[in-house]
């Protein structure tokens, strides 16, 4: 095989790049160099097959390997802190190194018995779509440049608006996660409420702007506060409404609202899974002229499950919503979604124009997201929705919630205290004193059957169990429950 870099790179650039350079026909060129072309093509793309083989072996081993990363493998990574290589290395050898060194150092969060955070897994179908999309390597910024993936996003968005029963015409953007989805939707909220009092944030910024009252619950997710901080609305000047024992905002403690106001509600508290009382707060807030935003990172998916839909009653009457696809839709990281009732407000906050960028009458993906260039996240979202359909998704969500209830029942039956009402997929359990609870969590993590983390919920040290993975079977729940009870009995 040739080692001529020009020939190699020419062949890699496409079958007709070199013939054009050499001024010969493609057929003649192929005939003259057929062995070289075959060899280069085989070695260039063989790495993809190797990656598939390794990924498959990794996934197939997940259900039986300890969930926590291998400590020795993590420690060994330190020894691999090598200087930047001076020259090239065979990519196949690099892939081998990646697999041998890093695969064992991963948390088995894609597997069926990781309950540490609301992480979800990647459905094989969505991973496959992700791989294909990786090969396409589309920059999903502009419709004109990437009509195929832009179409997938438009269709997925329509399906999601339908699934969540959001108002017709709701617009949205595909972003990295709920943090940025909150940021994106709240940028539209900030601009819109100031616009109503004659202030153009885009042009004038926030210097000298009329103040905005921002209201959140006491148990809002910290990333929501971060989003508000990034928008110049200040983390500490937010009005924090007291919450009840489940973390729900207390409707009776809502302040009187007037002037530019944004109310941020939550669908799914990260510890308890609880929902703010949308039905009583949203009409009140909107009647006072406030913009209502809902952080539904995982809780919004309750809308997609007939048995859980009552938890999000009236959520659709808000002005904007944020959620994650990388949680309960089980697509690969990263994937979040921002929805805004009036897409013009989102577009006004996010769109740019430049002489060199093509304009279109179609939906331009980057008109609705903070980024211009980005990966085509809609591909996996489309795949998840297309392959599961309504009933498949509802089954996944309802099964996970049933599994959470089973955890709570098993722990309670063994005499342990479950601290929350298990309404969704979250269970908070105390094993006694804070020290004892922390020790049980440590034993569970070390033993490896499953993985859960700790928290302090309203002053009580607790273990959190989050169930959101497509691969979790009832047998996984029983195995994990037994492991938890063994650790608690030690
Ligand atoms: C309610 C809520 N909001 C926001 C977030 C942040 O989501 P992400 O990590 O996808 O940015 C989370 C994460 O768990 C969450 O539970």
């Amino acid at each position: 095989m040739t080692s001529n870099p020009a020939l190699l790179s020419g062949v890699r650039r496409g079958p007709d790049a070199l013939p054009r350079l050499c001024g010969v026909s493609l057929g003649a060129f192929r005939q003259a160099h057929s062995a070289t072309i075959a060899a280069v093509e085989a070695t260039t793309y063989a790495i993809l097959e190797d990656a598939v083989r390794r990924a498959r072996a990794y996934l197939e081993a997940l259900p039986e390997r300890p969930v926590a990363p291998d400590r020795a493998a993590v420690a060994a990574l330190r020894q691999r802190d090598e200087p930047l290589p001076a020259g090239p290395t065979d990519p196949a050898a690099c892939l081998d190194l990646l697999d041998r060194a890093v695969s064992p150092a991963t948390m088995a969060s894609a597997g069926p018995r990781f309950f540490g955070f609301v992480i979800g897994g990647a459905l094989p179908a969505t991973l496959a779509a992700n791989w294909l999309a990786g090969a396409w390597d589309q920059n999903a910024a502009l419709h004109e440049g990437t009509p195929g993936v832009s179409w997938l996003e438009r269709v997925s968005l329509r399906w999601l608006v339908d699934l969540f029963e959001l108002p017709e015409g709701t617009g949205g953007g595909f972003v990295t996660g709920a943090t940025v989805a909150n940021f994106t939707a709240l940028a539209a909220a900030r601009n819109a409420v100031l616009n109503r009092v004659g202030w153009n944030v885009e042009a004038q910024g926030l210097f000298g702007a009329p103040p905005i009252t921002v209201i959140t619950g006491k148990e809002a997710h910290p990333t929501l506060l971060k989003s508000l901080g990034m928008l110049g609305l200040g983390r500490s000047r937010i009005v924090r409404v007291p919450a009840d024992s489940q973390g729900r905002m207390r409707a009776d403690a809502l302040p009187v609202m007037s002037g530019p106001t944004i109310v941020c509600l939550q669908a799914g508290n990260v510890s308890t899974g609880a929902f703010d009382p949308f039905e009583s707060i949203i009409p009140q807030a909107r009647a006072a002229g406030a913009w209502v935003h809902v952080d539904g990172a995982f809780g919004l998916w309750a809308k997609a499950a007939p048995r859980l839909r009552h938890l999000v009653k009236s959520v659709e009457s808000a002005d904007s919503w944020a959620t994650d696809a990388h949680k309960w839709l089980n697509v690969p990281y990263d994937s979040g979604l921002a929805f805004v009732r009036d897409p013009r407000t989102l577009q006004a906050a996010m769109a740019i124009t430049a002489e060199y960028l093509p304009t279109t009458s179609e939906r331009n993906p980057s008109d609705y997201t903070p980024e211009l260039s980005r990966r085509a996240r809609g591909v996996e979202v489309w795949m998840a929705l297309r392959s599961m359909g309504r009933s498949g998704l509802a089954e996944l969500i309802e099964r996970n919630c049933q599994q959470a209830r089973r955890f709570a029942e098993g722990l309670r039956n063994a005499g342990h205290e479950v601290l929350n009402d298990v309404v969704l997929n979250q269970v908070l359990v105390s094993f006694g004193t804070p020290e004892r609870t922390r020790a049980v969590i440590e034993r569970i993590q070390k033993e490896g059957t499953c993985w859960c983390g700790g928290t302090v919920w309203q002053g009580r040290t607790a273990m959190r169990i989050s169930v959101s993975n497509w691969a979790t079977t009832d047998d996984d729940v029983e195995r994990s429950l037994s492991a938890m009870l063994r650790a608690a009995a030690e």
Side-chain angles (χ1 to χ4, degrees):
M1 195 181 97
T2 181
S3 58
N4 178 337
L7 183 56
L8 282 173
S9 85
V11 173
R12 283 180 182 135
R13 278 210 313 259
D16 63 348
L18 265 180
R20 260 194 279 110
L21 285 175
C22 304
V24 295
S25 80
L26 179 59
F29 183 85
R30 275 207 165 264
Q31 205 170 10
H33 298 283
S34 60
T36 302
I37 290 171
V40 170
E41 283 178 350
T43 53
T44 302
Y45 297 115
I47 194 168
L48 300 182
E49 268 141 39
D50 193 18
V52 169
R53 188 183 58 74
R54 289 172 190 276
R56 203 172 159 164
Y58 177 84
L59 291 174
E60 283 172 355
L62 270 185
E64 295 316 318
R65 62 157 266 197
V67 179
D70 181 81
R71 283 171 186 238
V74 175
L77 291 177
R78 290 234 164 270
Q79 267 94 64
R80 294 190 187 272
D81 281 356
E82 57 188 5
L84 174 68
T89 310
D90 177 10
C94 296
L95 188 70
D96 178 62
L97 176 62
L98 199 59
D99 190 20
R100 275 186 302 108
V102 184
S103 289
T106 58
M107 173 74 84
S109 51
R113 293 188 304 282
F114 176 84
F115 306 113
F117 309 103
V118 193
I119 290 268
L123 285 154
T126 62
L127 183 57
N130 172 278
W131 287 350
L132 188 57
W136 293 342
D137 194 20
Q138 300 288 282
N139 179 347
L142 303 166
H143 174 81
E144 282 292 304
T146 52
V149 296
S150 152
W151 173 78
L152 287 171
E153 290 199 353
R154 190 166 52 74
V155 172
S156 308
L157 198 56
R158 180 166 54 76
W159 286 349
L160 288 164
V161 166
D162 183 27
L163 188 74
F164 293 138
E165 297 175 327
L166 302 182
E168 214 185 312
T170 293
F174 292 75
V175 295
T176 51
T179 306
V180 177
N182 282 325
F183 171 85
T184 304
L186 287 166
R190 179 194 64 180
N191 296 10
V193 296
L194 284 182
N195 207 21
R196 284 180 206 153
V197 289
W199 187 269
N200 182 340
V201 182
E202 287 298 316
Q204 294 162 272
L206 283 173
F207 302 99
I212 302 176
T213 306
V214 180
I215 299 171
T216 73
K218 192 89 178 59
E219 298 288 356
H221 197 271
T223 57
L224 183 94
L225 310 186
K226 176 177 172 175
S227 306
L228 291 165
M230 289 193 292
L231 287 163
L233 297 173
R235 296 191 198 195
S236 335
R237 61 179 290 285
I238 299 164
V239 179
R240 307 291 298 272
V241 179
D244 67 11
S245 65
Q246 301 302 310
R248 293 175 291 226
M249 186 192 275
R250 275 182 35 210
D252 62 333
L254 208 60
V256 175
M257 290 168 263
S258 66
T261 305
I262 301 172
V263 179
C264 302
L265 302 179
Q266 183 169 251
N269 176 282
V270 75
S271 292
T272 64
F275 294 77
D276 284 342
F278 306 120
E279 213 178 347
S280 48
I281 294 180
I282 299 179
Q284 204 181 323
R286 292 195 87 218
W291 176 293
V292 182
H293 171 73
V294 178
D295 175 6
F298 59 99
L300 196 59
W301 295 96
K303 257 280 189 200
R307 293 207 183 104
L308 301 161
R309 199 168 286 154
H310 62 279
L311 296 167
V312 273
K313 190 152 184 271
S314 296
V315 75
E316 66 283 355
S317 52
D319 295 282
S320 59
W321 306 262
T323 194
D324 267 321
H326 58 218
K327 290 187 165 72
W328 237 336
L329 195 59
N330 279 252
V331 304
Y333 276 82
D334 48 30
S335 190
L337 296 147
F339 300 99
V340 177
R341 176 188 282 265
D342 180 352
R344 287 168 309 177
T345 56
L346 182 56
Q347 200 174 9
M350 296 293 151
I352 54 152
T353 54
E355 286 306 324
Y356 79 100
L357 296 176
T359 52
T360 173
S361 56
E362 300 282 344
R363 175 185 179 276
N364 226 6
S366 62
D367 284 359
Y368 303 93
T369 57
E371 312 95 331
L372 178 60
S373 300
R374 66 172 171 85
R375 72 182 195 91
R377 298 191 181 90
V379 180
E380 302 112 11
V381 172
W382 177 90
M383 177 56 107
L385 295 171
R386 182 71 172 79
S387 61
M388 283 193 283
R390 266 181 211 279
S391 62
L393 180 58
E395 186 280 325
L396 162 61
I397 292 165
E398 286 173 4
R399 169 162 48 95
N400 284 163
C401 293
Q402 167 56 36
Q403 290 168 334
R405 289 196 293 278
R406 171 65 192 130
F407 271 123
E409 175 196 56
L411 290 160
R412 256 194 222 111
N413 288 348
H416 304 297
E417 188 187 359
V418 173
L419 302 181
N420 65 318
D421 299 340
V422 182
V423 293
L424 198 69
N425 64 331
Q426 298 294 121
V427 184
L428 283 179
V429 56
S430 158
F431 295 102
T433 61
E435 297 72 32
R436 195 171 149 63
T437 299
R438 280 195 290 271
V440 174
I441 295 170
E442 202 181 316
R443 283 201 287 274
I444 290 169
Q445 293 181 354
K446 252 199 191 137
E447 191 267 344
T449 301
C450 63
W451 201 99
C452 297
T455 190
V456 177
W457 174 250
Q458 298 188 346
R460 301 283 310 275
T461 299
M463 183 174 87
R464 297 175 66 254
I465 306 174
S466 306
V467 195
S468 60
N469 193 309
W470 69 274
T472 304
T473 63
D474 292 349
D475 182 52
D476 288 310
V477 172
E478 295 307 323
R479 279 176 67 180
S480 305
L481 193 51
S482 300
M484 290 172 191
L485 297 180
R486 277 197 309 275
E490 265 180 46

